[in-house]
């Protein structure tokens, strides 16, 4: 139990963004309690406040606002979109998206299309990447409204193009694959 008595600790702060992270933290605390692991309250508070999880709603630039998220399946993309809407209300979203061939990409495109305004489809750094043109063609089929959609094969070029049109009230989210992580170096060196 993390605390004497009821086994509850109130007023915890978690450094990770997104409502699902609060749920994850609660499950972790309950798992510790169920396993009979005793953790001092100050240790628990410090651990939750200091935890970081690169690649999950990771802000890699504030001006312009650029977020990297490794979401690569429909439930994760759905959660990503919900968290972006909750964390950044009123901001229009541009997505730079690439995914591997074995992923269930059509529902992902629909979730992104329902939320975003501009889309850049690229090829993740993997020989198993799905062709960006196929993504764009499929996107046009699942997206209810006509939205700006471009295919740029090289991820670095897609990033540069996506950043060009960003306004202060907008955000850019890079998502769809762990294999887009090399773009983080581009963002840090060019922003």
């Amino acid at each position: 139990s993390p605390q004497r008595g009821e086994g509850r600790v109130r007023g915890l702060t978690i450094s990770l963004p997104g409502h699902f992270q609060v749920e994850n933290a609660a499950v972790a605390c309950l798992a510790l309690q169920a396993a009979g692991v005793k953790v001092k309250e100050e240790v628990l508070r410090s651990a939750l406040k200091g935890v970081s999880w690169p690649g999950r709603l990771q802000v890699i630039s504030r001006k312009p606002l650029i977020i990297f998220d490794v979401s690569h399946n429909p439930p994760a993309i759905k959660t990503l979109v919900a968290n972006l809407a909750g964390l950044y209300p009123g901001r229009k979203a541009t997505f730079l998206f690439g995914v591997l061939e074995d992923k269930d990409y059509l529902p992902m495109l629909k979730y992104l299309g329902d939320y975003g305004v501009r889309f850049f489809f690229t090829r993740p750094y993997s020989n198993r990447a799905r062709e960006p043109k196929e993504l764009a063609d499929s996107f046009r089929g699942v997206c209810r409204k006509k939205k700006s959609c471009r295919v740029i094969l090289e991820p670095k070029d897609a990033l540069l193009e996506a950043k060009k049109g960003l306004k202060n009230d907008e955000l850019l989210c890079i998502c769809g694959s762990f294999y887009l992580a090399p773009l983080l170096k581009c963002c840090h060196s060019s922003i």
Side-chain angles (χ1 to χ4, degrees):
S1 162
Q3 183 181 18
R4 289 181 302 245
E6 299 177 0
R8 294 184 180 163
V9 179
R10 299 199 184 276
L12 291 175
T13 301
I14 184 166
S15 63
L16 299 174
H19 68 275
F20 64 95
Q21 298 298 0
V22 173
E23 294 168 6
N24 289 344
V27 168
C29 290
L30 288 171
L32 287 171
Q33 187 176 20
V37 176
K38 304 232 185 260
V39 178
K40 291 183 179 183
E41 183 178 333
E42 59 272 8
V43 172
L44 182 64
R45 286 185 184 284
S46 176
L48 291 176
K49 191 174 183 178
V51 71
S52 72
W53 193 352
R56 291 292 184 194
L57 291 170
Q58 182 179 353
V59 175
I60 54 177
S61 170
R62 295 219 180 267
K63 289 191 180 187
L65 181 57
I66 302 175
I67 296 165
F68 176 69
D69 196 280
V70 297
S71 298
H72 58 278
N73 60 50
I77 291 289
K78 185 177 183 180
T79 299
L80 168 65
V81 167
N83 278 302
L84 290 174
L87 291 168
Y88 305 102
R91 288 205 183 209
K92 294 178 182 175
T94 294
F95 286 96
L96 191 159
F97 182 79
V99 69
L100 300 185
E101 290 175 327
D102 63 342
K103 301 302 176 185
D104 184 15
Y105 69 98
L106 290 175
M108 291 190 269
L109 294 175
K110 180 167 180 349
Y111 294 136
L112 295 174
D114 287 347
Y115 180 68
V117 294
R118 290 188 317 142
F119 299 86
F120 293 83
F121 296 105
T122 193
R123 179 183 293 133
Y125 297 103
S126 170
N127 60 0
R128 297 183 300 124
R130 184 169 299 279
E131 284 302 316
K133 183 177 180 337
E134 181 184 353
L135 292 173
D137 291 344
S138 296
F139 178 77
R140 290 181 189 104
V142 299
C143 189
R144 294 182 201 152
K145 298 179 182 175
K146 187 172 172 77
K147 304 221 177 173
S148 173
C149 170
R150 290 187 55 195
V151 171
I152 302 176
L153 297 180
E154 172 56 44
K156 288 178 188 177
D157 295 338
L159 176 61
L160 291 173
E161 286 300 310
K163 284 172 33 182
K164 277 185 186 176
L166 277 183
K167 297 178 180 137
N168 288 339
D169 63 340
E170 296 178 342
L171 65 87
L172 169 61
C173 182
I174 302 165
C175 62
S177 178
F178 285 91
Y179 292 95
L180 291 172
L183 288 177
L184 297 176
K185 289 181 182 176
C186 299
C187 288
H188 291 300
S189 65
S190 63
I191 295 177

